[in-house]
């Protein structure tokens, strides 16, 4: 089987997007003399689902167009919104349409670009200092940042959401959050900032250990802090959820999404 030389030109590895508002531009390049690039069938994939919290329902034989993020029939360039998480992006091509056994046996030229950094390689995709650069596709992991509080009870008559100490605070999370393979590329950090109605900051929860709650019919997959610690006394607060890329050196976000909720902590 002959390899096809191909590249992901957009999005850039380690780039970030605010998922509610930003469409992501995907653009690939194929350098191939035989076959002609116009005779190749391409697909783009993400390691995470493109819709909120529900992995694709696979049936055999798998319809790869349904799990691909690219338009049916393939494309070198397209725009798409993705859901929350650190997405490993893969761009593939082959010279035969179809995915049944007969079609796959007939493939003579195929290639791929992107994917996750190699094991032991820093998440940036750059080799450690002094190490040789191996011959492999440049990785492509992108980060979609969405701050969406979840598992909230109904708003009370005073316009505030009641939060019980036992119930804690939760935010939408990537469906694969608890998977070690996902955590190897994850860069999302969660923080909940509690401030009084006058604006005085009382407590910040996260980005330490978080509990993970899988998807249910009523709630998307979520991470949270429960129960609330004693540092958050009962009372009225403005709660700001922040989800972004955290710089440990400066102890600040380099980019983040946020959402504010008026709450009352009870109990």
């Amino acid at each position: 089987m002959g390899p096809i030389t191909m590249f992901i030109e957009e999005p850039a590895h380690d780039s970030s997007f605010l998922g509610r508002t930003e469409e992501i531009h995907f653009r690939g390049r194929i350098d191939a003399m035989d076959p002609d690039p116009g005779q190749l069938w391409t697909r783009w994939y993400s390691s995470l689902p493109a819709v909120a919290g529900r992995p694709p329902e696979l049936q055999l034989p798998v319809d790869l167009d349904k799990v691909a993020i690219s338009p049916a029939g393939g494309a070198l360039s397209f725009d798409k919104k993705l859901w929350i998480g650190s997405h490993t992006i893969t761009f593939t091509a082959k010279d035969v349409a179809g995915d049944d056994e007969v079609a796959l046996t007939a493939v003579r030229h195929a290639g791929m670009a992107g994917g996750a950094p190699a094991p032991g390689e820093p998440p940036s995709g750059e080799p450690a200092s002094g190490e040789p650069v191996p011959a492999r596709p440049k990785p492509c992991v992108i980060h979609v940042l969405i701050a969406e509080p979840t598992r909230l009870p109904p708003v009370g008559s005073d316009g505030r959401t009641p939060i019980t100490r036992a119930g804690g605070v939760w935010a939408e999370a990537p469906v694969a959050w608890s998977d070690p393979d996902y955590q190897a590329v994850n860069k999302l950090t969660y923080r909940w900032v509690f401030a009084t109605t006058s604006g005085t900051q009382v407590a910040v929860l996260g980005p330490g250990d978080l509990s993970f709650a899988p998807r249910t019919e009523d709630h998307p997959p979520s991470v949270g802090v429960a129960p609330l610690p004693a540092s958050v006394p009962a009372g009225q607060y403005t709660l700001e959820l922040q989800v972004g890329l955290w710089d440990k050196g400066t102890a600040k976000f380099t980019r983040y999404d946020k959402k504010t909720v008026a709450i009352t902590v009870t109990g």
Side-chain angles (χ1 to χ4, degrees):
M1 180 182 295
I4 296 172
T5 303
M6 52 197 301
F7 307 90
I8 294 177
E9 298 193 321
E10 294 182 80
H13 175 60
D14 221 20
S15 55
S16 63
F17 304 86
L18 300 184
R20 264 195 215 90
T21 58
E22 286 195 61
E23 279 205 328
I24 303 168
H25 184 59
F26 294 86
R27 181 165 59 93
R29 187 180 95 233
I30 297 176
D31 297 338
M33 299 301 292
D34 182 18
D36 183 274
Q39 298 175 333
L40 296 173
W41 282 262
T42 63
R43 286 194 183 99
W44 296 70
Y45 300 97
S46 169
S47 58
L48 294 174
V51 297
R54 185 187 289 273
E57 296 177 359
L58 300 181
Q59 298 179 343
L60 296 177
V62 176
D63 184 344
L64 293 180
D65 281 324
K66 288 186 177 180
V67 297
I69 60 174
S70 49
L76 286 179
S77 177
F78 63 99
D79 296 317
K80 190 175 184 64
K81 291 182 181 180
L82 297 181
W83 211 248
I84 187 171
S86 293
H87 295 249
T88 299
I89 303 299
T90 307
F91 173 38
T92 68
K94 56 188 176 70
D95 62 351
V96 176
D99 302 295
D100 57 23
E101 184 176 355
V102 173
L104 294 178
T105 301
V107 170
R108 292 294 176 266
H109 301 272
M112 67 158 285
E121 182 177 283
S124 65
E126 298 297 330
S129 177
E131 292 183 359
V133 178
R136 62 172 180 273
K138 183 177 180 180
C140 186
V141 179
I142 63 175
H143 313 284
V144 178
L145 314 174
I146 301 177
E148 188 62 59
T150 62
R151 300 174 179 262
L152 295 174
V155 177
S157 59
D158 60 355
R160 293 182 167 274
T161 300
I163 301 291
T164 65
R165 187 164 303 282
V169 289
W170 296 86
E172 185 153 0
V175 67
W177 181 266
S178 59
D179 187 330
D181 288 340
Y182 172 77
Q183 284 301 325
V185 299
N186 175 66
K187 279 197 172 182
L188 272 64
T189 293
Y190 289 77
R191 295 172 87 235
W192 290 264
V193 180
F194 293 77
T196 65
T197 53
S198 63
T200 302
Q201 184 173 303
V202 173
V204 178
L205 304 184
D209 292 337
L210 302 175
S211 298
F212 176 70
R215 183 189 182 279
T216 68
E217 289 303 314
D218 298 320
H219 301 289
S222 306
V223 294
V225 179
L228 294 179
S231 59
V232 184
Q236 293 184 341
Y237 298 98
T238 297
L239 174 61
E240 183 173 281
L241 168 64
Q242 304 169 345
V243 180
L245 307 178
W246 186 258
D247 186 318
K248 293 182 180 179
T250 62
K252 294 180 180 179
F253 281 114
T254 56
R255 193 175 192 211
Y256 67 99
D257 190 29
K258 64 181 180 180
K259 188 167 185 179
T260 301
V261 183
I263 67 167
T264 299
V265 174
T266 64

